[in-house]
Amino acid sequence: MKRSILAALLAAAATSFAAAGPARAQTAALPETHFAVVGGGSHNYTFGAVEKPFWEKTLPEASGGKVTAELIGLSESGLKGPEIVRLMRAGALDVGMGVFAFVSGDDPTFEGVDLPGMATDYATARKMVAAYRPVLEQRMLKRHGVRLLATVPYTAQVFFCRAPVKTLADLKGRKVRTRGSNMAEYVRALGASPVTIPFAEVIPALQTGVVDCAVTGIGSGNAAKWYDVAKNLYLLPIDWSIGFYAIAERRWQKLDPAVQQFMLKEAKVLEDRLWDETGREGDYALACNTGQGECRIHTQADMQATAPTEAERATLREVATEMASRWARRCGEECAANWSASVGQALGVTLR
């Protein structure tokens, strides 16, 4: 019996060594490589929960210490966000994280990944991004000289309001803080008046009545304590602030092929963790904001939450389709065709 147990243990050890052998060999083949990385906003939950541990721990460990990175948040870098793609294209930045809505001034094609009102839930947002990703990859590489590594989601961008929103019609005439031209156009289509205000100035703007509502991520609004001045939550996701991690193509071409393959594999790890963790954050953020259900990650509040009815959702779908059609006309024939063949087909949406 002892002999058979020993034989089994030796066989298991041999199998384990054989399986680990190729992995060790691949890691040993990696040359030492270091990346300077500008990540997302350090105030965001996923920065600390996913981005920081990935770049500072996961990447070095997976490479046997051969591939390392120095990560700083967007605000700490002194950058604003819209210039990320231009800096990478110019070779002034190795790896950067950006939000497509912020860089869309460089290319309206970027807007197609997250058109207002098109994704009403997390699953649809992920489906939309997956469908449009090949379009983004090709456009970013050929037009802008950057290589897409991973897509980055944030929680649903919803309304934090001073007064209750009982019906969709209640938004008419209200002054609403928005982010980006697409969001502003969507809010205007709902009968409200979009107002551009920096994130840090929203609380005093709500307190003084400069705005009646403000739109941001359901998690971000909680983290910023908007619930202190906005007691009402309207669960109408305008978009998901979809972002990206990318690397300058000129930097990519200088990497050893083994490092390139390693980075592609690890970028998928980063992307999956970001999507999974954001999904969890969205669920907990709703519970935290309303004080109902399991509250983790954020702070418990006592907001009143309402949502569009099924009849109102039909109206919102019409508005979203019209918005997408306007964007397509602005973006051009090729852009519209690419969107229709990807996102449009995946979601069953026909541009007008």
Side-chain angles (χ1 to χ4, degrees):
M1 180 63 70
K2 290 182 179 179
R3 186 173 297 173
S4 65
I5 292 175
L6 179 59
L9 290 173
L10 289 173
T15 301
S16 175
F17 181 81
R24 288 198 185 102
Q26 289 173 0
T27 300
L30 293 172
E32 292 190 0
T33 308
H34 184 75
F35 295 103
V37 182
V38 174
S42 55
H43 62 281
N44 292 316
Y45 165 71
T46 47
F47 182 88
V50 180
E51 295 177 60
K52 190 174 178 65
F54 172 81
W55 291 108
E56 296 181 355
K57 185 177 180 181
T58 302
L59 203 68
E61 288 183 354
S63 65
K66 296 296 185 66
V67 180
T68 57
E70 180 182 0
L71 172 72
I72 58 173
L74 181 65
S75 56
E76 289 79 8
S77 72
L79 303 177
K80 301 297 183 182
E83 71 276 46
I84 289 292
V85 171
R86 295 193 295 271
L87 289 174
M88 284 191 286
R89 182 174 61 221
L93 180 63
D94 278 353
V95 178
M97 183 269 167
V99 175
F100 283 112
F102 291 166
V103 301
S104 62
D106 291 342
D107 193 337
T109 303
F110 295 155
E111 299 174 41
V113 72
D114 197 23
L115 292 175
M118 196 58 63
T120 57
D121 54 47
Y122 170 85
T124 304
R126 193 164 191 175
K127 185 177 181 180
M128 184 174 178
V129 173
Y132 201 60
R133 180 175 180 139
V135 177
L136 290 171
E137 288 178 335
Q138 184 178 43
R139 186 72 173 184
M140 293 175 79
L141 185 59
K142 292 188 175 181
R143 178 72 179 268
H144 300 281
V146 299
R147 184 174 292 264
L148 178 62
L149 293 175
T151 56
V152 179
Y154 287 105
T155 53
Q157 304 289 299
V158 297
F159 293 77
F160 288 72
C161 296
R162 299 199 306 164
V165 180
K166 296 180 179 178
T167 69
L168 186 59
D170 288 343
L171 287 176
K172 291 183 178 179
R174 294 200 191 186
K175 301 183 293 291
V176 180
R177 180 264 179 183
T178 59
R179 178 266 302 133
S181 58
N182 254 6
M183 183 181 287
E185 190 176 348
Y186 183 79
V187 164
R188 192 177 290 112
L190 298 180
S193 300
V195 180
T196 301
I197 295 176
F199 188 88
E201 298 175 17
V202 168
I203 286 183
L206 284 165
Q207 287 173 326
T208 58
V210 172
V211 293
D212 303 302
C213 303
V215 177
T216 193
I218 192 171
S220 301
N222 183 285
K225 301 185 184 305
W226 285 12
Y227 51 77
D228 284 340
V229 291
K231 298 296 185 181
N232 300 277
L233 196 63
Y234 189 48
L235 303 175
L236 166 58
I238 296 184
D239 60 38
W240 300 78
S241 272
I242 300 299
F244 60 89
Y245 260 106
I247 183 170
E249 180 63 10
R250 60 172 65 186
R251 175 75 168 103
W252 180 263
Q253 292 301 332
K254 293 178 181 178
L255 296 177
D256 185 280
V259 175
Q260 291 179 345
Q261 292 305 309
F262 172 78
M263 289 299 294
L264 289 175
K265 179 172 67 71
E266 292 304 313
K268 184 65 168 60
V269 172
L270 172 63
E271 182 172 74
D272 288 344
R273 288 181 183 175
L274 284 166
W275 278 94
D276 291 345
E277 201 61 35
T278 297
R280 289 180 64 252
E281 182 190 3
D283 292 339
Y284 288 134
L286 176 59
C288 291
N289 280 316
T290 61
Q292 299 177 14
E294 187 178 10
C295 176
R296 296 185 185 180
I297 298 173
H298 296 296
T299 304
Q300 186 162 317
D302 59 351
M303 298 183 72
Q304 299 300 309
T306 55
T309 64
E310 282 305 312
E312 289 173 333
R313 290 187 189 281
T315 299
L316 290 167
R317 282 192 292 272
E318 287 292 314
V319 173
T321 301
E322 177 58 30
M323 288 285 299
S325 299
R326 290 183 194 176
W327 162 78
R329 290 192 289 271
R330 186 172 71 249
C331 195
E333 186 175 344
E334 181 182 359
C335 181
N338 288 335
W339 192 90
S340 295
S342 55
V343 179
Q345 186 172 353
L347 302 188
V349 177
T350 302
L351 297 174
R352 294 166 183 161

